[in-house]
């Protein structure tokens, strides 16, 4: 009997543990192309905002309205401050500087004010983009306490009542669709003209990411002279109305000591914002079917602005606004889905790894890369189709195409129709979960965390008998 010689050692099996680490690394690397899709999304979002600003600017843009306020020019002599020497003692030897004259406009707010805005909405289109626009009828009413008008003026100020005006304001006069009428002291309404004492005033900014304005924030003021007869009585009543067009947002300022405001319209998707939320909204405020209505009451204490002031800028923080949200805008939903891209790419890779370990058929890293690229292209399909059809239909089309492709690829890779059908069921559930996350704004994080936990638990269960080192030659794989 011949000696066959020493038996060669059996080569170790491939390490599934190393393969899992490689799959995880590939899932992380495939998240990088998703960043390029995110950059494309930002570019399309910027383009949409630019179009909205252009179209909205032609209509008047986001409008902000100011109710009747009395504006009185003033001047006062400001004496120089004497130099102060050591130990706080005034130095009299220093030469006296010349006095200067300070001038400005003193504003007297009404004790009570009311403003009502009724808007009629429409949608303007340019290319693929939609811009909500509206035409608003604005009505004002104000009651001034003339008994103490000017009582809070700066020390030494001389109010020039001969040039005093009662003014109202709008952020963009290009949107005016009629003259601004104002009836003061029971007289017949007169058409206001641009204010002579203060043609423009800047407001403290109110930031709203959903509103894009091309022009700097501010008010154009329109007024009529305040007569001696208007100042003679203890109170002064002023009422007025105007019609303006605008886009995306309408707001009013809490211009009185106590301000009552009401904004209503036929837009179905309002978003209330500004310095105060409405006390009543929807049906409680008298909204009609398919429209909106909101009411505010802002007392003097809450407003935080004195009864009289030298500037209107502080009123910017008292805006009572409504933004017309465009529900067909797909960019926010696509952006949210992209934020979950690394997690879902990883879950699909884990599913393929489970198929690989349970069938014993190896999957090359290049095949994992192809699967990852198919998932990245899903987001490109979603973005491009959503611009034409809206998010829901676009998601159905892009998800059906992607799930069908990666499920068929599973059947081709493992040469098993059963594995293809299992992949189809698993990936359909997975992409259905993505859609649910897009719709569950308040619970998206909770659902995503639970889904990730369940996926890891499933991988642990189905790989519990796998020889991760691949050195024993034993591999008791459980069924998928």
């Amino acid at each position: 009997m011949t000696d066959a010689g020493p038996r060669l050692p059996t080569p170790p099996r491939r390490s599934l543990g190393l393969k899992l680490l490689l799959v995880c690394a590939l899932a992380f690397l495939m998240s990088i192309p998703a960043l390029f899709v995110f950059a494309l999304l930002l570019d399309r979002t910027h383009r949409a905002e630019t179009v909205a600003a252009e179209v909205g600017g032609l209509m008047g843009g986001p409008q902000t309205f100011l109710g009747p306020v009395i504006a009185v020019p003033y001047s006062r002599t400001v004496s120089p401050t004497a130099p102060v020497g050591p130990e706080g003692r005034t130095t009299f030897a220093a030469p006296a500087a010349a006095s200067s004259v300070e001038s400005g406009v003193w504003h007297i707010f009404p004790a009570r004010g009311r403003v009502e805005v009724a808007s009629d909405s429409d949608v303007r289109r340019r290319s693929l983009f939609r811009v909500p626009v509206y035409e608003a009828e604005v009505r004002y009413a104000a009651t001034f306490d003339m008994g103490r008008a000017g009582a809070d003026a700066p020390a030494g100020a001389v109010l020039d009542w001969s040039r005093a005006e009662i003014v109202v304001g709008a952020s963009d006069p290009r949107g005016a669709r009629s003259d601004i009428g104002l009836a003061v002291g029971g007289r017949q309404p007169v058409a206001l003209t641009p204010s002579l004492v203060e043609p423009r005033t800047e407001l403290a900014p109110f930031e709203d990411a959903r509103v894009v304005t091309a022009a700097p924030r501010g008010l154009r003021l329109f007024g009529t002279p305040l007569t001696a007869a208007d100042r003679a009585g203890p109170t002064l009543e002023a009422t007025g109305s105007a019609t303006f067009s605008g886009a995306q947002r309408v707001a009013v300022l809490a211009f009185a000591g106590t301000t009552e405001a009401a904004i209503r319209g036929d837009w179905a998707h309002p978003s209330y914002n500004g310095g105060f939320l409405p006390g009543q909204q929807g049906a409680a405020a008298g909204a009609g079917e398919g429209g909106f209505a909101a009411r505010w009451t802002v007392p003097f204490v809450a407003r935080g602005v004195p009864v009289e002031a030298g500037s209107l800028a502080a009123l910017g923080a008292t805006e009572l606004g409504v933004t017309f949200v465009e529900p067909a805008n797909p960019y926010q939903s696509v952006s949210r889905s992209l934020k979950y891209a690394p997690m879902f790419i990883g879950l699909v890779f884990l599913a393929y790894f489970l198929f690989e370990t349970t069938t014993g058929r190896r999957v090359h890293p290049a095949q994992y890369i192809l699967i990852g690229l198919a998932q990245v292209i899903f987001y490109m399909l979603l973005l491009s189709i959503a611009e034409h059809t809206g998010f829901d239909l676009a998601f159905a089309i892009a998800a059906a195409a992607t799930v069908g492709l990666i499920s068929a690829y599973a059947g081709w890779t493992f040469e098993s129709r059963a594995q293809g059908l299992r992949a189809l069921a698993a990936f359909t559930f997975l992409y259905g979960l993505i859609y649910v996350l897009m719709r569950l704004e308040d619970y998206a994080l909770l659902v995503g965390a639970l889904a990730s936990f369940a996926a890891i638990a499933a991988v642990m269960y189905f790989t519990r008998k796998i020889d991760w080192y691949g050195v024993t030659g034993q591999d008791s794989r459980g069924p998928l």
Side-chain angles (χ1 to χ4, degrees):
M1 190 173 194
T2 60
D3 188 3
R7 177 175 295 180
L8 295 176
T10 302
R13 290 168 44 84
R14 60 188 177 93
S15 172
L16 291 177
L18 291 177
K19 183 61 176 290
L20 178 59
L21 293 178
L22 176 61
V23 169
C24 293
L26 288 175
F28 175 78
L29 290 176
M30 291 312 302
S31 300
I32 296 177
L35 296 177
F36 293 96
V37 181
F38 193 79
L40 177 62
L41 172 66
L42 292 179
D43 179 70
R44 300 299 292 177
T45 302
H46 176 71
R47 173 59 180 161
E49 292 175 346
T50 302
V51 170
E54 293 174 355
V55 175
L58 298 175
M59 295 293 295
Q63 292 281 14
T64 301
F65 300 106
L66 170 70
V69 173
I70 294 176
V72 188
Y74 74 91
S75 61
R76 66 170 179 163
T77 301
V78 180
S79 301
T81 303
V84 177
E87 301 179 2
R89 292 177 296 186
T90 303
T91 303
F92 295 98
S99 299
S100 60
V101 177
E102 176 187 273
S103 61
V105 178
W106 192 246
H107 301 94
I108 302 170
F109 302 109
R112 296 180 302 279
R114 186 178 70 256
V115 58
E116 297 180 355
V117 180
S119 64
D120 185 12
S121 308
D122 195 4
V123 175
R124 296 293 175 90
R125 300 174 183 270
R126 178 179 291 182
S127 184
L128 300 175
F129 308 108
R130 294 159 46 97
V131 183
V133 299
Y134 60 85
E135 186 171 289
E137 182 179 358
V138 188
R139 296 186 178 277
Y140 313 99
T143 301
F144 294 89
D145 181 5
M146 301 305 296
R148 67 178 312 276
D152 297 330
V158 178
L159 301 180
D160 187 359
W161 288 100
S162 64
R163 296 169 53 205
E165 294 181 343
I166 183 166
V167 300
V168 299
S171 55
D172 195 336
R174 292 179 300 171
R177 293 295 179 263
S178 68
D179 289 334
I180 304 175
L182 192 66
V184 182
R187 300 194 303 270
Q188 291 295 321
V190 296
L192 302 187
T193 58
S195 174
L196 298 177
V197 298
E198 191 174 31
R200 181 184 179 91
T201 184
E202 294 297 331
L203 292 176
F206 169 75
E207 300 296 338
D208 189 337
R210 290 167 295 190
V211 179
V212 180
T213 54
R217 288 188 52 80
L219 286 177
R220 300 288 183 177
L221 298 180
F222 306 87
T224 185
L226 190 71
T227 66
D230 296 332
R231 297 187 286 113
T235 61
L236 177 65
E237 302 287 338
T239 59
S241 64
T243 301
F244 276 79
S245 65
Q248 299 179 285
R249 184 173 186 263
V250 60
V252 298
L253 299 174
F255 64 97
T258 298
T259 304
E260 296 180 358
I263 304 178
R264 58 183 175 86
D266 57 356
W267 190 258
H269 304 280
S271 175
Y272 304 109
N273 46 52
F276 304 89
L277 290 178
Q280 294 180 328
Q281 64 187 62
E289 184 177 356
F292 73 92
R295 294 183 180 276
W296 292 261
T297 299
V298 182
F300 172 75
V301 174
R303 190 179 71 148
V305 179
V307 176
E308 300 182 5
S311 172
L312 297 176
L315 290 181
T318 70
E319 285 189 2
L320 316 173
V322 179
T323 297
F324 300 145
V325 178
E326 174 52 67
N329 187 335
Y331 301 111
Q332 185 176 4
S333 296
V334 175
S335 175
R336 290 182 59 207
S337 65
L338 270 170
K339 294 175 183 177
Y340 291 95
M343 182 180 75
F344 286 102
I345 291 174
L347 290 178
V348 171
F349 277 22
L350 281 178
Y352 264 85
F353 178 75
L354 285 178
F355 295 153
E356 180 179 357
T357 56
T358 55
T359 60
R361 190 174 184 88
R362 301 182 65 180
V363 179
H364 195 273
Q367 293 174 290
Y368 279 100
I369 292 177
L370 290 175
I371 298 165
L373 289 176
Q375 291 182 269
V376 172
I377 293 175
F378 159 76
Y379 293 102
M380 295 182 62
L381 287 173
L382 178 61
L383 174 61
S384 59
I385 299 174
E387 290 185 326
H388 296 271
T389 65
F391 180 78
D392 292 339
L393 181 58
F395 188 94
I397 296 173
T402 305
V403 169
L405 176 61
I406 61 179
S407 299
Y409 192 65
W412 300 334
T413 300
F414 300 108
E415 298 181 351
S416 170
R417 180 176 296 180
Q419 290 293 350
L421 293 176
R422 290 175 182 175
L424 179 63
F427 298 149
T428 298
F429 173 79
L430 186 61
Y431 275 77
L433 180 61
I434 297 178
Y435 182 80
V436 170
L437 287 177
M438 297 307 99
R439 288 293 174 257
L440 294 178
E441 295 185 5
D442 296 334
Y443 298 97
L445 180 60
L446 176 62
V447 174
L450 292 177
S452 300
F453 181 83
I456 294 299
V459 172
M460 290 180 176
Y461 176 79
F462 289 120
T463 60
R464 64 192 184 280
K465 296 183 180 180
I466 287 179
D467 175 18
W468 293 104
Y469 288 102
V471 295
T472 64
Q474 299 176 356
D475 188 10
S476 302
R477 302 184 183 95
L480 179 62

